[in-house]
Amino acid sequence: MFENIPILSLLILFPLLGAIAAFMLGRSPKAAKYVALVFSAIPLALVTLMLTEFSLSGGFQFVENYEWISFLGINFHLGIDGVSVTMVFLSTLLVFLAILFSWDVEERLNQYMGLMLLLEVGILGVFTALDYFVFYIFWEVVLIPMYFLIAIWGGMNRAYASIKFFIYTHVASLAMLLGIFALYFTTAPLLKADGLIPVDAIGTFDMQLIARVAGDGLGHMLQIAIFGALFFGFIVKMPVVPFHTWLPDAHVQAPTAGSVLLAGLLLKMGSYGIIRICLPTLPDAAVDFQLIMAVIGVVSIIYGAFACLAQSDLKKMVAYSSISHMGIVMLGIATLSQLGIAAAVFQMFAHGLITAVLFMVCGMFQHKAGTREIPLLGGLAPKVPILATVMMMGFMASLGLPGMVGFLAEFMVFTSTFDTWGVWVLVPIATVALTAAYYLWAMQRSIFGELTTKIDTKHMHDAYWFEILPLAVLLGFIVLFGVWPAFALDLITPSIPSVWPLNGVI
Amino acid sequence: MFDYGAIYPEIILILFAVAIPALHLLLKSSRALAGISLVGVAASAGMVVYYLLNGYPGMIGSENSPLIVFDALAAVFSLVFLSVAFVAILASARYVENDRHLAEYFTLILMATAGMMLVASAQDLLTIYIGIEIASMATYALVAFRKRDKRGSEAAVKYVIIGGLSSALSLYGISLLFGVTGTTSLVGINEALAAQGIDLATILSVGLLIAGFGFKIAIAPFHMWAPDVYEGAPTPVSAFLAAASKKMGLVVMFKVFIVGLIAIKADWDIVVGVVAILTMTIGNVIALSQTNIKRMLAYSSIAQAGYMLMALPLATVVGDFAITAGIFHIITHAFMKSGAFIVVAALAYVAIGESVADYKGLAKRAPFMAFSMAIFMFALAGIPPLSGFMSKVVLLSASVQAAEITQWMLWLGVALVLNSALSLYYYVRVIKYMYVEKGESTAKIKVPVSLTVAIAVCMVATIVLGLFFDPVLDLCSEAARTLFPAMA
C-alpha cells in the first residue's frame, strides 16, 4: 500500500505545511485552530495506517534515502523500527490531543498553533532519522518552538525558564555534536577499508553504516570518549540527576500543552537517543557505562520521588515525578538486556501517556481554581467531579496501579533489574512506596476532605468537552495497554536483539 | 605576462565609481545613483561569474613572482564583497537621500569594494598592501560620512588612527620579510623560508604581520576599536565593514600564512590558534553585557572572526578542507551579519533606537523585521537548519579531523562549541525583546522598500545556504585548493 509513497517524509511534511498555514492565518486565528487540528490529525491517521502494514520482523521499514549534501556524505535517510514507531505514534497522538486541549487559548492563537506543529516536525524527524546529521538538525529544531512556547505563553517567570531551557539543552546538544563528528571521522577509514563508502569521500553520517564498523573497529578509549559525549547530550535532555535542574523551571512556566509535549515527547528524545545510537553503535563502551547508567537511574528515581514529597505546587510535583520515571527508563536501559530495553521503551510510551494526563490535570486546576498550590486546594471533588476522577485515575496510573500501563512497564524494568543485579532491585522498588505516598497525599489534600475557603469555589466550572475528550482518549489507551501490553511489546521487542551486544541492529 | 583580464572586475567598478559624481550633476535623485551603483556592482559580478563559468584570465606578473592572479579564491571573495556592497548600497539609498555628497558615498563604496577585490586576487605582499590601502582610505571616509555627527566623527578619527597604525605595522613586517628573503612575492617568500629556516627577524616580521592584519580583522587583542567604530559609523557602513572589510583581512591572513609562511607553520600555528580562541571568547563574553545592538553586533563580529581564524591553524594539518570551512563561514557570515545590521539601519530610519530595549514588542509592530532579525540571530548563534549552523559544523568537523593528527586542535573545536553556547544567550535576548516583551507602542512600522529588499536578500541567502549548500561548498573547496598548489 505504501510501496512508492515516501510516507515518512509526508509524515514530517504535513505538520510543516500546517505550521506555515497557521502562521499565515494571522487575520483569522480561529481558522488557524482548525487548520492545526486537521494537520495534526493527518500524521496520526498516517501512523495508524502504517501500523496496520507494519511487519513485526524487527528491521527498519518505510526506509527513504535521498542524497542531500554529497560533499560531506549527508543523506536524508529516514526509517522506522518497532522502537521508533512506538514513539512516532505517541508523538502524533500527543500533539493532536495537545492541540485539542488548547482549544481555549486566545493570545496569539495562530502562532501558538504554528509552533505546536513545528514542534511536531522536529520530534517526528528525531524519531525517524537514520542519518546523524539529519537527526541533529531535527533535534535542534525542536528547541526553537519550545523556547517560544514557554517564553510567550508561559507563567510569571517565563523569560528565565525559557532561556535556561534553551541554553542548557543547547550546550548538551553541542557536546553531542562533537561526539557525532568524532564518529564521523574515526569511522571514515574503516568504512573505506570495507568499501562501504567511496575512497575519495570525507566520511558518512549514515547511522547504519557507522554502527556496522564502529563497534569492532574503534579503540576502546575512543569508544568511551565518544560514548561520553553522546551520552551527555542525551541525559541532559532526559533529564536525569544531576542535569535535571532546567526541567522543573521549564515545566512550571510552560503552558499546559507545552508541558504535555515537553514531558511526553521531548524527554523521550534523550532516552531514545541512547537506545538508538549509543548502545548499538558503541557496545563496548556501553558495558563500561553500565554501572554509571544504573546508578544515575536509581539516583534519579529516588531523588525525584523525594523532591516530589517536598513540593506544594501540583505542577512542580508532576515535573519532579517525570525525573523519577525517566530514572526508571534509564535503569531499564542500563540492564543492557532485551527485556530491560524493551521495558524501557514501554515505560517511555507509558510515561508519555500518563504524564500527559497529569499535566492536563494541573493545567485544569490552574484554569478552574486559579492556583495549583496544594495547600490552597481541598475538597474539590464534589465541585468538579470529572476533573477529580481524571486526576485520581492519572495519579493511580502514575504510581503504578496494576491494570494500567505504568505498572507493567515498571514491573518489567524491575524484573530485568533483578536479572542483572539481584536483590539490589529492592532499592528502586522501595521508592514505589514513596511515589504512592506523594500522589495519595497530594490527592487527599487537593480534592478530598473539607472544601477549601482559601479560594473562590462558587464559580468553578468542571471540565469542558475539549478537555474531557483528550483525557478520555489518553485514559483509554492507558487502560488498553495496561490490560493488553502485547499491542506495544510485540512491536518493540523484535527490534531489540535478544543477545548483547546490539551492534548491527541499526 | 600582463593580462588586464585579471583586473576587469575591478576596472568595471572603478569606471562606475568615477562616473557617478559626474552623473550627479545630471541626476539629483539618490535612487537613480544607487541604481547606477547597483548596475556597476552587478556588471562586475557578471564579469566574475563569466570567469567562473568560462575559465580564468591570465595573470599579471611572471610565473615566479605573480602579482595578480584571478583564480577561484579571488572569484569567491569578489562575489562576497560584491554581494555585501550590493545590499549595503540598497540599504543606503534612502539613508543618504538628503545629503549633498551622496554621489561620493556611492563612489566610496565602489572604490572600497574594488580595493578588497584587488586584495583577493593579489599574490604579492606589495599588491596586497596597495589593495588594503585603497579599501581603507575609502572606508575611512565612509565612516566619517556624517561629519556633523559627533559620534561618527569620533569613530572616524579612531578608525583612521588605528588603521594607520595597522598599515604601518604590516608594512614594517613586509619590509622585514623582504629583508630576510629578498622578495615580496608570497611564493618566493615561502621558498626562501623553506630553504633558510627561521631567525629572529622572521619571527618579528610574522608578529608584525599578525598585529597589522589583526587590527584590520579586529581579532583580540587588537579589537578595541571595532565596537566604537561600528557604533558611530552610519549603519549600512557598519554592515559593510563587518561583512566585507573584515573578510578582506581574513583573505590576506589566509594568503600570507598559507601561501607565504606555510614553510614555517610550526612557528605560528599555535599562536594563531590561541589568538583565535581568545578572539572568539573575548568577543562573546563582552557581547553578553552589551545593550546597544550595534555594539553587540560588533562584538559578535569579533567572535565570528575568531571562528574564521580557526581555519588557519587547522589548515596546517588538514589542508584545504579547513580553508574550505573558513571560506564557507565567511560567506554565510557576510549575509547574516549584514542582514542584521541592515535591520538595525531600517529600524533606525523609522526612528527606533539602537538599544535592545527599543525592540520591545517589535514582533507586533513590524512582523517582517522581527522575523528576519530572529532568523539572523538564530543563524549567528548556529541553530540548524540555518546557514550559520552549517558553516560552523564544517569548521567543527575540520577541527575534529585535525585533532586526529594534532591533538591540541580539538581545543579549537571545543572552544567553538562552548562559545556557540555562550553566544546563544545574547542572540536569543534580542529575540526575547522582540517577541516576548510587550512594547509601549503598538503602532505599525513601515520600512522603505529598498531596505526591505536588502533584508530579504540576506534572509533568503541565510536560509538557502543552510539547506542547499553543496555547490557553494564545492566552490569554496575549489577556492581553498588554490592556496595549496601541491594538492591542486
Side-chain angles (χ1 to χ4, degrees), chain B residues 67-242:
Chain B
L67 294 174
I68 294 172
V69 178
F70 194 88
D71 50 13
L73 186 75
V76 168
F77 274 92
S78 296
L79 286 178
V80 171
F81 299 144
L82 288 167
S83 322
V84 175
F86 191 87
V87 290
I89 291 169
L90 255 184
S92 310
R94 296 296 285 269
Y95 186 82
V96 291
E97 212 162 29
N98 302 316
D99 199 295
R100 275 197 321 133
H101 304 289
L102 65 103
E104 285 84 338
Y105 183 89
F106 295 116
T107 299
L108 288 168
I109 287 195
L110 294 184
M111 288 302 288
T113 313
M116 293 172 190
M117 287 163 64
L118 185 66
V119 171
S121 52
Q123 301 293 324
D124 185 285
L125 281 174
L126 280 180
T127 354
I128 289 177
Y129 181 78
I130 291 169
I132 294 179
E133 286 304 294
I134 295 176
S136 298
M137 292 298 165
T139 47
Y140 297 154
L142 278 172
V143 172
F145 194 73
R146 282 186 306 194
K147 60 186 174 197
R148 287 183 213 295
D149 178 75
K150 272 193 182 156
R151 259 188 342 170
S153 308
E154 186 194 331
V157 171
K158 268 189 194 163
Y159 191 40
V160 171
I161 294 176
I162 294 288
L165 178 65
S166 140
S167 299
L169 288 176
S170 39
L171 199 56
Y172 196 35
I174 290 171
S175 57
L176 273 178
L177 259 187
F178 177 70
V180 174
T181 60
T183 173
T184 53
S185 147
L186 290 174
V187 186
I189 289 173
N190 192 45
E191 281 165 8
L193 287 177
Q196 69 198 48
I198 190 158
D199 56 14
L200 194 61
T202 326
I203 294 176
L204 192 59
S205 67
V206 171
L208 287 167
L209 287 178
I210 292 182
F213 301 144
F215 272 117
K216 274 274 168 294
I217 314 173
I219 51 179
F222 315 109
H223 63 279
M224 277 81 91
W225 61 272
D228 293 344
V229 172
Y230 290 9
E231 189 191 354
T235 312
V237 174
S238 308
F240 189 64
L241 290 180

